[in-house]
Amino acid sequence: MIATLLLAASVFLNGVNIDGVRGQSFEKCRSVRIDDKGNLLLDCPGYQAESTGGSAAAAVVLPSIPVAGASLAPASLSKHYFLVTEQSDGAAAQYDIDVYVNSKWVRKVRSGDEQIVLDITKFLSLGANKLLFAATKRAPKAGPPGSFVRFIVGEGESSGAQVLIDNPLLECKRTAAETDNVNEEFTVQAR
């Protein structure tokens, strides 16, 4: 009975049955789940599989990669993405902000930090990506509304010590006049 249940279970990559695929590793999966039928469900953005018809065990093609023994690589991005901070009397803004990309902690930005320019391309996958800014107020009282910390995320290029963002995708701003902890989530389409 147990052997029958094990043989009936299948492996699915992003909704496509990949039974028969061997010698592959999948990194940066968003989730791995076993359903009530024993099927292993892999949610891995940046990977693609398609059924070629016929029996499920031999009907999988991983585009542009031979199935037998090849390593499966995530699709690469054609653009570079940067996170840039700006603070106006940042220490007075009284916010520390944790930055998460696709549920992974990237870094903490503290009130009063110098400007940060960070290439976040390696944290992104092709398609939709979630960015979360978790702002924690350091002091319970409001300050001057002109004191702020701002985050800009966009597509751009780096040249030496300079970064030029030619396509801003999002802006997140906290001011000292605010008193609450705030979590803001954004979706960015990476290409």
Side-chain angles (χ1 to χ4, degrees):
M1 181 76 161
I2 293 175
T4 303
L5 290 176
L6 291 176
L7 293 176
S10 291
V11 179
F12 292 87
L13 172 63
N14 299 330
V16 176
N17 184 310
I18 60 169
D19 288 344
V21 173
R22 301 289 183 260
Q24 305 297 320
S25 62
F26 301 97
E27 298 178 17
K28 298 183 182 179
C29 287
R30 189 176 310 165
S31 68
V32 176
R33 186 172 63 88
I34 299 173
D35 69 11
D36 56 350
K37 295 177 185 173
N39 295 321
L40 182 64
L41 308 173
L42 305 170
D43 180 12
C44 305
Y47 294 92
Q48 184 176 355
E50 56 188 50
S51 176
T52 60
S55 69
V60 177
V61 172
L62 302 172
S64 76
I65 300 171
V67 172
S71 65
L72 185 63
S76 62
L77 300 176
S78 62
K79 301 290 184 179
H80 292 278
Y81 296 85
F82 295 91
L83 176 142
V84 178
T85 64
E86 177 186 4
Q87 295 196 39
S88 167
D89 191 17
Q94 306 168 350
Y95 272 105
D96 290 341
I97 300 174
D98 287 297
V99 179
Y100 296 85
V101 178
N102 293 325
S103 301
K104 293 181 181 165
W105 182 80
V106 174
R107 77 169 294 150
K108 180 183 285 284
V109 177
R110 298 182 188 281
S111 285
D113 280 354
E114 294 293 318
Q115 183 179 40
I116 295 168
V117 177
L118 181 64
D119 185 342
I120 61 169
T121 307
K122 66 183 177 184
F123 299 103
L124 300 174
S125 300
L126 194 60
N129 294 270
K130 299 289 184 186
L131 279 73
L132 174 70
F133 298 93
T136 305
K137 186 73 171 181
R138 289 175 126 182
K141 61 181 183 171
S147 296
F148 66 86
V149 58
R150 177 183 9 227
F151 292 81
I152 298 168
V153 173
E155 295 175 350
E157 295 298 326
S158 64
S159 174
Q162 294 184 339
V163 169
L164 172 66
I165 294 182
D166 51 18
N167 184 18
L169 300 172
L170 72 88
E171 180 180 322
C172 175
K173 182 177 179 181
R174 299 272 65 89
T175 71
E178 300 170 78
T179 58
D180 294 329
N181 295 337
V182 179
N183 290 339
E184 276 191 280
E185 185 174 86
F186 299 88
T187 300
V188 169
Q189 292 292 329
R191 50 193 178 122

